[in-house]
Amino acid sequence: MRILASLLLLLTGAACLAREPVRTRHAMVVAQEPVAAGVGVTVLKNGGNAVDAAVAVAFALAVTHPEAGNIGGGGFALVRTPDGVARFFDFRERAPRSAGRNMYLDASGKATADSVVGWRAAGTPGTVAGLEHIHRIYGRKPWAELVAPAIRLAAQGVELSYSEATAMKQGARLMERFPESKRIFLKGGEFFEPGEVLVQPELAETLKRTAQDAADFYRGETARRLAEASRANGGEITLEDLRDYKVVERKPLEGGYKGYHIVTAPPPSSGGVAMLEMLAMLEGSGYEKAGAGSAAASHYLAEVMRRAYADRAAYLGDTDFVKVPVTGLVNPKYAATLRASIDPEKATPSDSLGAGQPVPYESAETTHFNVIDSDGTAVALTYTINAWWGNGVTVPGLGFLLNNEMDDFAAKPGEPNAFGLVQGEANAIQPFKRPLSSMTPTMVLRDGKLFMVLGAPGGARIITGVMQVLLNVVDFGMSVQEAVDQPRLHHQWKPDKLYLEKGFSPDTKALLEKRGHVLEEADTVARTEAILIGEGWLQGAQNGRSTGKVAGY
Ligand code: DON
């Protein structure tokens, strides 16, 4: 019957609302800003591999998309080579030596805004070290050649798109508090308009030194000036913190869903653990029978999310510092116990639902972009300064913004952070610890072959955003473009709200409310970037939620 219907549709040539993915044969970059995506494709066309391109894109984004692209932040990269070996690189910021559990509490024990705004909110940046590290392992092109496009863009200037100019205006309240940010990104308070050119000479100089030697950022002039400015402004980062920063290679987290193999982010990201836990709850539940976007399927997804995020709050943190019951959390038998508590007709109030008990199921062991090159090496890289425009501070004379990643810790365990996330003891602040992340660079394999590469920005919504794109392909048979376009939902246990993107019908919303959900409209649930490999094509999804680009050849 379904086949007949689609045949009829083809024969009558009826218009189809679904957008086509962008298809290329050899190589592809999907990034959130078009100029940077173009930089990556040029590297690929000139004989660079996927890691070379990723390094060049990351530096370019630090110039063209400074609200998130960065050298003052950190991130994760998942790299898979055609021999099937996947490696995960953690260049997340870490807490400075001086950090302590109560560093953001005032005299009365209340959490202050210091973990979000200003110098003290910054963790020791890892981006330059991370990019240098993956380049040292995989790079084919000289390092300096990959930093060069970013230097040129910073020195000669970039024409600001509508979305970049708007992002600056949106960041005004934060950045006008810091003179160097106000001067560079807010034109001294006048604001840039679309079409105007942003020139960043100080950043160009910093990048030039980085191109000569990446160690400059950690031990050279950049390090000295950053540490000095930090000290002068009451920040925490010292020269020692910079000198001692380390990239950590971790074993990617692996799991399965309906015969697909998933390779994803381990702690200190909560992303992979929570996604595999949710998929384990979904597998065999039959939730998909109700249909994509239906009230019944949406309700079920929300309940699964609620349970995984309750566990996230209780158990997740940096595994170098705390024990996280990873294998228990993603164990199918544990998932079955959680699934049994889901009522298909009624929302479970978050207050009545604590974290589950994964420990008995524990065994003894314990601005995203994607690049694929013509050899089949793939990179999924998510990096961040946390909030847009980070902590608001541009380091004087160095031209780059600092992160406010310290807010990803639980400044006060049990109280919400900037994303409204409630987090627990496992994510309390300690010197050198990495704050818990939601970043989820992910690859999906089918029959041992690379099938999808995906990831997203979006704070706590990254995990649910990435998972839903995957489910839309696997469970609902959508193309990668349809999967990205489909409206998404998000639940994170607390606050007890179901966030819906625009596009859910009033009928569906009414049915969800009837089941007891408190609905709230979300501007986006993660601007997920995805490539699917199928039918001899690299198929890239243009994300309508941002002005990014699929580019390739
Ligand atoms: O690591 C994390 O989970 C967050 N710092 C990511 C921040 C983010 O995606 C901001 N985007 N909207």
Side-chain angles (χ1 to χ4, degrees):
M1 194 64 202
R2 251 179 83 185
I3 300 173
L4 203 68
S6 29
L7 210 66
L8 265 175
L9 211 68
L10 274 176
L11 289 174
T12 53
C16 181
L17 289 178
R19 294 195 297 160
E20 285 292 313
V22 177
R23 291 182 171 84
T24 68
R25 283 284 184 208
H26 305 287
M28 184 175 273
V29 180
V30 186
Q32 233 135 51
E33 192 284 320
V35 176
V39 164
V41 172
T42 305
V43 170
L44 292 167
K45 280 187 177 161
N46 291 337
N49 62 21
V51 171
D52 292 324
V55 169
V57 171
F59 278 115
L61 282 169
V63 180
T64 61
H65 190 59
E67 63 270 38
N70 68 80
I71 55 174
F76 302 129
L78 179 61
V79 181
R80 184 180 186 271
T81 37
D83 57 5
V85 178
R87 295 168 70 175
F88 184 87
F89 301 94
D90 167 358
F91 53 96
R92 180 105 167 130
E93 302 90 329
R94 59 179 207 177
R97 177 188 294 274
S98 62
R101 183 185 167 85
N102 298 328
M103 66 187 285
Y104 299 118
L105 303 185
D106 66 15
S108 65
K110 256 186 61 199
T112 66
D114 279 8
S115 66
V116 183
V117 180
W119 284 91
R120 293 192 67 234
T124 310
T127 295
V128 174
L131 298 177
E132 193 275 335
H133 192 97
I134 57 173
H135 179 262
R136 191 161 13 95
I137 296 174
Y138 300 99
R140 199 186 280 164
K141 291 268 174 193
W143 169 255
E145 205 175 305
L146 304 173
V147 192
I151 298 173
R152 200 177 51 246
L153 288 163
Q156 295 174 3
V158 269
E159 193 179 308
L160 292 170
S161 63
Y162 175 84
S163 71
E164 290 300 330
T166 306
M168 285 173 176
K169 285 180 191 151
Q170 287 167 344
R173 270 191 50 203
L174 171 66
M175 287 193 286
E176 66 195 7
R177 299 171 60 170
F178 304 100
E180 193 77 341
S181 299
K182 183 173 177 182
R183 179 178 72 76
I184 296 175
F185 298 110
L186 303 177
K187 220 172 142 182
E190 283 176 46
F191 296 129
F192 284 99
E193 293 301 327
E196 285 191 83
V197 174
L198 171 71
V199 187
Q200 301 174 75
E202 295 88 358
L203 179 57
E205 289 307 312
T206 303
L207 289 171
K208 272 186 206 162
R209 290 193 299 275
T210 309
Q212 274 164 13
D213 182 5
D216 174 74
F217 194 94
Y218 295 94
R219 281 181 279 277
E221 184 179 338
T222 301
R224 270 194 306 280
R225 290 170 71 170
L226 168 53
E228 221 161 85
S230 176
R231 189 187 46 77
N233 291 283
E236 308 284 340
I237 299 170
T238 64
L239 206 52
E240 267 191 311
D241 287 317
L242 290 163
R243 194 197 55 204
D244 294 344
Y245 181 82
K246 278 188 187 52
V247 176
V248 182
E249 182 172 348
R250 301 184 189 276
K251 210 169 126 29
L253 198 63
E254 305 201 28
Y257 183 65
K258 293 190 175 173
Y260 291 82
H261 187 74
I262 295 159
V263 185
T264 185
S269 177
S270 60
V273 177
M275 184 167 68
L276 294 183
E277 181 180 348
M278 290 189 283
L279 291 173
M281 279 186 256
L282 289 172
E283 184 151 12
S285 70
Y287 88 100
E288 69 277 16
K289 291 188 193 116
S294 64
S298 301
H299 165 72
Y300 205 88
L301 283 172
E303 291 306 308
V304 160
M305 291 171 186
R306 185 199 306 276
R307 284 158 179 78
Y309 276 74
D311 281 350
R312 180 193 189 281
Y315 296 112
L316 270 292
D318 181 350
T319 38
D320 290 346
F321 288 77
V322 290
K323 196 162 160 42
V324 178
V326 175
T327 47
L329 286 164
V330 303
N331 184 307
K333 289 193 190 125
Y334 173 58
T337 68
L338 296 179
R339 198 187 304 127
S341 73
I342 297 176
D343 180 338
E345 296 302 329
K346 201 102 211 94
T348 313
S350 286
D351 275 335
S352 73
L353 181 85
Q357 294 299 328
V359 178
Y361 302 93
E362 176 78 353
S363 70
E365 323 98 295
T366 310
T367 183
H368 185 84
F369 58 88
N370 303 310
V371 187
I372 299 182
D373 67 22
S374 54
D375 294 332
T377 295
V379 179
L381 192 150
T382 315
Y383 75 151
T384 182
I385 44 176
N386 193 21
W388 269 27
W389 308 105
N391 67 358
V393 173
T394 302
V395 188
L398 300 181
F400 65 87
L401 284 151
L402 282 173
N403 67 82
N404 60 348
E405 222 69 59
M406 293 297 283
D407 192 58
D408 274 353
F409 280 117
K412 186 169 185 185
E415 280 194 13
N417 73 351
F419 296 109
L421 278 174
V422 176
Q423 318 189 78
E425 284 300 329
N427 191 28
I429 306 174
Q430 277 176 258
F432 304 136
K433 193 174 173 185
R434 280 146 146 98
L436 183 62
S437 174
S438 299
M439 295 188 285
T440 316
T442 296
M443 298 188 193
V444 182
L445 313 181
R446 190 167 62 178
D447 304 325
K449 292 207 186 82
L450 190 63
F451 176 61
M452 283 181 85
V453 184
L454 69 174
R461 299 174 183 183
I462 293 172
I463 314 168
T464 52
V466 167
M467 181 182 75
Q468 285 171 86
V469 171
L470 172 63
L471 294 175
N472 287 339
V473 170
V474 172
D475 284 344
F476 300 116
M478 296 183 196
S479 76
V480 68
Q481 185 65 64
E482 291 170 286
V484 163
D485 288 347
Q486 176 78 7
R488 295 195 276 271
L489 58 89
H490 174 75
H491 202 299
Q492 62 181 41
W493 177 55
K494 287 191 177 177
D496 193 346
K497 284 183 182 165
L498 176 54
Y499 298 93
L500 300 179
E501 286 185 334
K502 284 200 183 81
F504 284 84
S505 79
D507 297 357
T508 307
K509 288 186 196 164
L511 288 169
L512 285 166
E513 277 173 335
K514 228 175 109 192
R515 282 175 160 87
H517 292 284
V518 179
L519 305 185
E520 193 163 309
E521 190 174 296
D523 50 349
T524 67
V525 174
R527 300 174 166 89
T528 311
E529 305 275 16
I531 303 178
L532 183 147
I533 299 127
E535 295 153 3
W537 294 98
L538 299 173
Q539 305 180 22
Q542 195 76 49
N543 196 327
R545 293 166 184 80
S546 62
T547 49
K549 187 171 175 180
V550 180
Y553 71 98

